[in-house]
Amino acid sequence: MPASSTRLIPTLARWLRRAALPVAAAATLAACGGGDRVEPFKPNRIFIFGDEYSAIDTTTGAKYSVNVPNTSGSGAAYYCAQNALWVQYLVNEHYGKELDACPIGLASTPNAFLQAQPDWTTDNVISAINATSFASDDLVVVLVGVNDITGSALNDAQLEAKAQELGRRVRALADSGVHVLLVNVPKIEESPDFSSYGTRRALYNNGLRSLNGLGSNVDGRRVAFLQSDALITDLKDSNYNMGELCPSNTDSTPGACDSNAISGISSTSSYVWSWGAWLSPNTHSLLGSRAANQVDNNWE
């Protein structure tokens, strides 16, 4: 199947509608370090670091969302470009870059690079960042923390300290001249499976921007901060379905949550979650739209 036919990236009209919903996005942007506009920035390369929210299996094409089976008889088991993740919207649609983990023909060689794996924690992402060389015209995108929050390895004090460590590492990247989009952890306590994790999620997110982390006075010149937790709040307030499209799915078989599994569900676009803590395709598109708005607010 040609690359262009495997994409479910919205048309411009749909993109604009999604960007406008919910209306509270504008208020969120104003609170995310975008007040000080500086000279425009367009990245030459993009590096994405994270966990299941951004991971794409380069062998099967599976993602931690609703997958679309490949029915062509050749190639990967799933169409990686369909039901795009939030980072695919940002990389492909907004910046027109070619993502190495899911090429769609936007460039002859990749100029966006995904380092996101299932079960990755803050330590994994910091290690990956430390092992990568950046230039001043690179954009680094970071969303991690959910596995630190839901895991048992860190007590609350250690969890906050880990978030602060990531915040300081992002600040160091910015001080070196690199632009960074830092995304906090979605409000997983609104998912049926993670209702008890609100306190730890808030602790981690607060730690990212604390004085011992990113710092409270980041002016947005090189760091854009996106509040994905606010998106979940807005969707709940807008009466989206807070249930799961694939409630029986497990993290060990992400591909099992596919378009066939949800074929009997009406209004699938109203769901916030695919299963567990993982976002539905529509929530990914909305988060991708907010990410695009955030970087534009900071650097356009």
Side-chain angles (χ1 to χ4, degrees):
M1 177 176 287
S4 60
S5 65
T6 66
R7 300 174 66 193
L8 287 188
I9 294 176
T11 62
L12 179 59
R14 289 178 62 205
W15 179 267
L16 292 174
R17 286 197 300 271
R18 286 174 169 177
L21 196 161
V23 175
T28 300
L29 294 176
C32 291
D36 295 329
R37 293 172 63 82
V38 295
E39 61 184 68
F41 168 72
K42 290 288 187 183
N44 181 43
R45 300 181 302 174
I46 303 175
F47 294 86
I48 304 102
F49 299 92
D51 48 32
E52 287 90 339
Y53 290 118
S54 308
I56 300 174
D57 189 316
T58 55
T59 300
T60 67
K63 305 183 289 286
Y64 283 74
S65 187
V66 177
N67 296 281
V68 179
N70 181 350
T71 57
S72 70
S74 62
Y78 304 98
Y79 291 124
C80 63
Q82 293 195 12
N83 286 354
L85 300 180
W86 74 279
V87 292
Q88 292 174 280
Y89 284 98
L90 179 67
V91 168
N92 297 149
E93 184 73 13
H94 187 67
Y95 282 121
K97 300 296 186 182
E98 182 82 343
L99 185 63
D100 60 348
C102 185
I104 60 173
L106 294 175
S108 57
T109 58
N111 42 26
F113 308 94
L114 184 64
Q115 295 190 53
Q117 295 293 333
D119 300 322
W120 266 21
T121 64
T122 301
D123 281 340
N124 296 120
V125 163
I126 291 176
S127 295
I129 290 173
N130 291 343
T132 306
S133 297
F134 304 106
S136 60
D137 57 356
D138 290 336
L139 171 61
V140 173
V141 179
V142 179
L143 168 52
V144 72
V146 68
N147 293 311
D148 300 274
I149 293 166
T150 59
S152 58
L154 302 176
N155 62 34
D156 286 355
Q158 293 168 330
L159 179 67
E160 184 178 25
K162 193 60 63 179
Q164 292 171 344
E165 183 181 356
L166 177 60
R168 291 193 299 272
R169 187 66 187 91
V170 167
R171 186 169 59 189
L173 282 173
D175 289 343
S176 73
V178 177
H179 287 70
V180 184
L181 171 63
L182 177 62
V183 186
N184 69 7
V185 178
K187 207 170 184 180
I188 59 172
E189 64 268 27
E190 298 295 351
S191 165
D193 293 341
F194 290 90
S195 59
S196 64
Y197 285 95
T199 299
R200 281 175 63 84
R201 192 272 312 161
L203 187 67
Y204 186 93
N205 283 354
N206 291 337
L208 284 177
R209 297 200 72 182
S210 68
L211 290 175
N212 289 323
L214 184 63
S216 61
N217 296 317
V218 174
D219 59 15
R221 286 180 294 179
R222 290 200 180 94
V223 177
F225 188 81
L226 176 61
Q227 296 177 336
S228 74
D229 54 352
L231 170 61
I232 304 303
T233 297
D234 291 342
L235 294 178
K236 182 178 182 180
D237 291 345
S238 298
N239 296 317
Y240 273 64
N241 190 323
M242 303 306 291
E244 302 167 308
L245 288 166
C246 298
S248 62
N249 207 52
T250 65
D251 289 354
S252 61
T253 57
C257 183
D258 63 18
S259 53
N260 295 322
I262 67 169
S263 61
I265 300 176
S266 60
S267 301
T268 57
S269 62
S270 69
Y271 280 73
V272 172
W273 310 99
S274 288
W275 78 92
W278 315 129
L279 306 177
S280 70
N282 192 58
T283 308
H284 271 289
S285 74
L286 293 169
L287 183 59
S289 177
R290 288 203 178 187
N293 286 338
Q294 188 64 66
V295 295
D296 282 353
N297 189 64
N298 279 71
W299 302 318
E300 286 297 310

